[in-house]
Amino acid sequence: MFDVTKIRADFPILSRKVNGQDLVYFDNAATSQTPLQVIDVITDYYCRLNANIHRGVHKLSQEATDAYEGARKTIQTHFNAAHSHEIILTAGTTESINLIASGYSSLLQNGDELLVSALEHHSNIVPWQMLCERTGAKLKVIPMTQEGTLDMSAYESLLNSKTRLVFVNHVSNALGTVNPIEEIITKAHAVDAKVLIDGAQACPHIKPDVQELDVDYYVTSAHKICGPTGVGMLYGKETLLNKLPPYQGGGEMISTVTFEKTTYADLPHKFEAGTPNIAGGIAFGAALDYMNNIGFETIASYEEELLAYATNKLREIPGLKIFGEAAKKTAVISFNIDGIHPYDIGSILDQLGIAVRTGHHCAQPIMDYYQIPGTVRASFAFYNTKEEIDRLDAGIRKAIEMLQ
Ligand SMILES: *Cc1c(COP(=O)(O)O)cnc(C)c1O
């Protein structure tokens, strides 16, 4: 079945040393590591295919176009979108959200309401604040609870006929909470509001079905799913994407251009101005293939095992408090130690070769809610092991000894 030693051999970086120690990489929620199967695709692209896409008559351009459009199909199949032109390839989650927020500038009116959740990453807050400044729409916040979940009854009372858009992450990057997006979507649709789901933190662990969810927009980044940085996607329902104006103007996104009038290309090209990250897009497809070969159920059940193991161990450490204790969470542990700044713990762990994240994790409102400056976050992937968690446990204990 699942052989983690064999999996780890796919990731060259996992065998490097940091500060003289074997690397323990527990910053997967910030970016995941890249397997050879994906690195090889990038190398192969530059060794064999490198050419601009969609425009050349020559062989290289055709092969590069086929590979890029093939990746779009792979992404479509993975998310079960009805059409491949509903998959817009972007620079990542941040750009995907900005694309939608920018498009709604001309679709909103003063007095319209937008709902954001208290659990969001800054990239799912700031573009909407900017949109509100442009349009006079109002941003309202779905509050969170002490366990790090969303207050769903407050959500229901915030929804009304003025609500135009709801944006929530599928999984919180700071706490690991899996949000009840099915319910969020159904309730929003009941008042005719559209929903954007930020899937950046969910996609490494969960395989979403956009048609079954009936979600309006779903966005993610490749670099958290074993793919390269600087590439990601926006899924949108065809009818909605057709109503949105283009995001950027330039080559590729036009049908005809004269100085009097320009007409735009059809989906998906309308939203893909300029030369894209071609190798990145192809590698995004390869990363999904790699993950699907292992299987998302296998990944999820192994990671659950890691999470339970780590939670039980870390809970035994005196003075350690875990933030985010939702019943449904991914393999993320956000914690603090009484009287010690998260940064100091992180620095000592780094000395021991253990990579964790410290700080507000681009989710300052969550830290404000708990009235803390930040947390230490250990986030696990399917290539991590229990032995590595033992090293984290020992490392935290050592840090406490040194700092107290
Ligand atoms: C990482 C992350 C983002 C930002 O993704 P980028 O790749 O930096 O654009 C947004 N939301 C969540 C929940 C994330 O985890």
Side-chain angles (χ1 to χ4, degrees):
M1 270 280 299
F2 185 74
D3 181 354
V4 72
T5 311
K6 199 161 145 256
I7 296 279
R8 288 176 69 82
D10 292 337
F11 293 82
I13 206 168
L14 295 180
S15 52
R16 73 160 278 184
K17 302 259 184 212
V18 168
N19 294 323
Q21 315 255 5
D22 289 332
L23 166 69
V24 172
Y25 187 76
F26 283 159
D27 196 16
N28 295 288
T31 201
S32 56
Q33 293 304 343
T34 319
L36 281 170
Q37 288 82 342
V38 173
I39 297 170
D40 287 349
V41 163
I42 297 168
T43 307
D44 181 63
Y45 172 79
Y46 285 109
C47 291
R48 263 186 354 100
L49 296 180
N50 190 21
N52 214 325
I53 53 171
H54 297 143
R55 16 192 142 171
V57 286
H58 61 83
K59 187 77 179 163
L60 260 53
S61 175
Q62 285 165 13
E63 287 185 5
T65 304
D66 288 348
Y68 192 70
E69 290 307 321
R72 195 192 305 275
K73 286 251 177 239
T74 302
I75 298 165
Q76 175 205 352
T77 307
H78 179 80
F79 291 97
N80 194 32
H83 309 286
S84 66
H85 58 253
E86 292 176 319
I87 303 293
I88 313 298
L89 288 158
T90 65
T93 302
T94 303
E95 190 185 47
S96 298
I97 295 171
N98 276 281
L99 189 160
I100 299 294
S102 155
Y104 270 83
S105 301
S106 55
L107 303 177
L108 291 186
Q109 295 170 4
N110 206 325
D112 281 345
E113 294 182 2
L114 312 180
L115 296 188
V116 65
S117 106
L119 293 176
E120 296 314 299
H121 186 286
H122 296 163
S123 70
N124 205 18
I125 301 174
V126 183
W128 307 111
Q129 288 174 323
M130 292 161 69
L131 172 63
C132 287
E133 276 171 26
R134 291 194 295 271
T135 59
K138 245 199 225 126
L139 190 62
K140 300 203 159 176
V141 183
I142 310 163
M144 61 180 283
T145 68
Q146 201 62 37
E147 306 80 68
T149 58
L150 287 178
D151 180 340
M152 292 299 284
S153 64
Y155 170 57
E156 263 188 79
S157 33
L158 282 167
L159 283 168
N160 66 66
S161 60
K162 285 184 277 179
T163 314
R164 298 289 309 278
L165 270 170
V166 177
F167 17 93
V168 175
N169 56 34
H170 193 168
V171 170
S172 154
N173 64 301
L175 305 177
T177 310
V178 181
N179 286 313
I181 61 166
E182 296 81 357
E183 193 186 336
I184 288 167
I185 293 164
T186 311
K187 294 203 161 129
H189 286 171
V191 298
D192 230 11
K194 305 296 179 219
V195 181
L196 178 141
I197 299 294
D198 169 355
Q201 206 57 234
C203 291
H205 319 284
I206 297 167
K207 186 172 177 169
D209 181 326
V210 293
Q211 290 188 80
E212 195 182 306
L213 287 167
D214 195 26
V215 65
D216 302 298
Y217 308 103
Y218 194 99
V219 301
T220 200
S221 298
H223 71 94
K224 295 192 179 163
I225 333 172
C226 296
T229 56
V231 65
M233 70 123 201
L234 156 66
Y235 158 80
K237 285 180 181 165
E238 181 183 34
T239 48
L240 297 176
L241 290 179
N242 276 329
K243 280 187 210 148
L244 280 187
Y247 176 48
Q248 294 182 316
E252 275 300 285
M253 55 75 73
I254 51 88
S255 171
T256 59
V257 174
T258 67
F259 282 108
E260 287 69 43
K261 185 170 174 54
T262 290
T263 57
Y264 305 126
D266 290 334
L267 294 174
H269 307 294
K270 177 173 121 180
F271 293 112
E272 296 182 353
T275 303
N277 180 351
I278 303 168
I282 298 168
F284 185 5
L288 291 177
D289 283 341
Y290 178 81
M291 303 274 288
N292 279 307
N293 271 339
I294 301 171
F296 277 81
E297 276 173 31
T298 307
I299 288 171
S301 76
Y302 178 70
E303 288 176 348
E304 254 170 54
E305 212 180 296
L306 290 182
L307 177 66
Y309 183 77
T311 305
N312 289 335
K313 278 219 118 155
L314 266 51
R315 272 210 187 111
E316 297 293 309
I317 298 177
L320 186 144
K321 176 169 168 45
I322 294 176
F323 294 89
E325 299 195 280
K328 276 181 85 178
K329 61 179 275 193
T330 56
V332 169
I333 300 185
S334 237
F335 65 90
N336 273 337
I337 312 282
D338 268 353
I340 302 179
H341 198 278
Y343 179 81
D344 295 333
I345 300 278
S347 304
I348 291 178
L349 290 176
D350 179 54
Q351 289 306 308
L352 301 170
I354 303 167
V356 293
R357 188 80 151 191
T358 66
H360 54 58
H361 317 297
C362 299
Q364 251 172 356
I366 299 181
M367 305 303 138
D368 291 347
Y369 174 84
Y370 287 122
Q371 299 183 308
I372 51 176
T375 67
V376 183
R377 182 185 69 188
S379 51
F380 312 120
F382 58 91
Y383 42 71
N384 289 129
T385 65
K386 288 183 182 166
E387 292 71 31
E388 289 180 309
I389 291 169
D390 292 343
R391 275 190 54 201
L392 173 68
D393 177 53
I396 298 169
R397 287 173 189 274
K398 178 156 188 205
I400 292 173
E401 235 177 72
M402 291 170 68
L403 293 165
Q404 267 179 352

